[in-house]
């Protein structure tokens, strides 16, 4: 087969696998399992762990968070070790394949094909993809998440700060040649997607009407 066509096919398959993985509606599935509740009909209407916490409690939220993280981790690892197995580790085609896998999973989570192109805000799934690419970036991002939530009780603020922190951290790592440009392309762009998905939260934060952690929907 033509090498160019083979590579195009690899990227296309990576995108499909990533999007389908990201589209798995873990929040909706948890709603059925933990109380036959559709999270899209409650609270923010999102299917991520924060809205699940408010509507179904901590056990369901933890389950959803773990599933959403895996939705980002698995496509990136598949791209690295299976879909691009014909090239060596850390070669450019493989790295760009990971970027495609990460974006596809993130967009699948936010716009799931299984639930009418609705979903969550991409924090856990984007974080999972980032974890598979560069764990050190996630370590700093976790600090960016935990501190604002601890100080203010606003999960949305922590998520926004965490996304921005990941982008800045990975830019520094790339500058220091600890990480690679394709990873930064995903992490910075993914951070923008996550922050954009929080635009309604940003309005409520500015207006002082955002719900704090522990408040029921």
């Amino acid at each position: 087969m033509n090498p160019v066509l083979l590579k195009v096919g690899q990227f296309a398959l990576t995108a499909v696998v990533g999007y389908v993985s990201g589209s798995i509606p873990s929040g909706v599935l948890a709603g059925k399992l933990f109380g036959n509740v559709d999270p899209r009909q409650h609270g923010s209407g999102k299917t991520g762990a924060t809205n699940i916490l408010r509507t179904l409690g901590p056990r369901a939220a933890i389950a959803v968070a773990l599933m959403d993280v895996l939705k980002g981790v698995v496509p990136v690892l598949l791209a690295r070790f299976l879909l691009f197995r014909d090239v060596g580790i850390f070669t450019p085609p493989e790295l760009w394949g990971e970027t495609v896998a990460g974006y596809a999973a993130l967009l699948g989570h936010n716009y799931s094909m299984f639930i009418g192109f609705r979903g969550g805000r991409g924090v856990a799934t984007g974080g999972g993809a980032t974890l598979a690419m560069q764990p050190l970036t996630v370590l700093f991002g976790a600090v960016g998440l935990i501190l604002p939530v601890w100080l203010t009780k606003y999960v949305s603020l922590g998520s926004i700060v965490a996304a921005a922190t990941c982008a800045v951290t990975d830019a520094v790592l790339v500058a220091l040649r600890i990480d690679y440009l394709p990873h930064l392309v995903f992490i910075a762009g993914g951070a923008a997607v996550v922050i954009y998905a929080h635009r309604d939260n940003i309005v409520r934060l500015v207006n002082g009407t955002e719900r704090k952690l522990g408040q029921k929907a």
Side-chain angles (χ1 to χ4, degrees):
M1 180 181 289
N2 185 297
V4 174
L5 291 178
L6 177 62
K7 199 60 61 182
V8 170
Q10 284 177 301
F11 278 108
L13 181 58
T14 299
V16 171
V17 169
Y19 180 76
V20 172
S21 173
S23 288
I24 297 171
S26 50
V28 174
L29 295 175
K32 294 181 182 297
L33 181 63
F34 285 91
N36 199 27
V37 174
D38 188 343
R40 295 170 294 174
Q41 305 301 321
H42 299 272
S44 66
K46 297 294 185 179
T47 61
T50 301
N51 196 40
I52 295 297
L53 176 63
R54 292 194 178 106
T55 57
L56 292 168
R59 284 198 308 159
I62 291 171
V64 169
L66 290 175
M67 290 174 65
D68 286 348
V69 168
L70 286 174
K71 283 160 45 175
V73 169
V74 171
V76 172
L77 294 184
L78 285 176
R80 180 182 302 167
F81 295 115
L82 181 62
L83 299 178
F84 286 84
R85 66 185 183 276
D86 60 315
V87 295
I89 291 179
F90 299 134
T91 58
E94 178 178 286
L95 290 171
W96 288 113
E98 293 177 22
T99 301
V100 170
Y103 271 121
L106 181 59
L107 293 176
H109 175 75
N110 287 12
Y111 308 101
S112 170
M113 61 187 279
F114 299 119
I115 52 173
F117 299 98
R118 297 174 62 183
R121 302 186 193 274
V123 177
T125 300
T130 301
L131 178 65
M133 294 179 189
Q134 179 49 261
L136 188 56
T137 296
V138 175
L139 179 62
F140 282 90
V143 175
L145 172 68
I146 292 168
L147 278 179
V149 174
W150 180 56
L151 293 172
T152 69
K153 307 301 181 187
Y154 289 125
V155 176
S156 58
L157 179 61
S159 299
I160 293 165
V161 172
T165 301
C166 283
V168 172
T169 299
D170 207 65
V172 172
L173 294 180
V174 170
L176 295 174
R177 298 188 177 181
I178 297 173
D179 202 5
Y180 304 87
L181 180 61
H183 287 169
L184 177 60
V185 169
F186 167 73
I187 293 167
V193 171
V194 168
I195 292 171
Y196 177 76
H198 282 84
R199 60 195 181 279
D200 56 324
N201 301 91
I202 294 172
V203 172
R204 290 195 294 270
L205 285 167
V206 171
N207 293 335
T209 57
E210 178 75 335
R211 286 187 295 270
K212 293 189 175 184
L213 183 66
Q215 283 185 258
K216 294 293 184 180

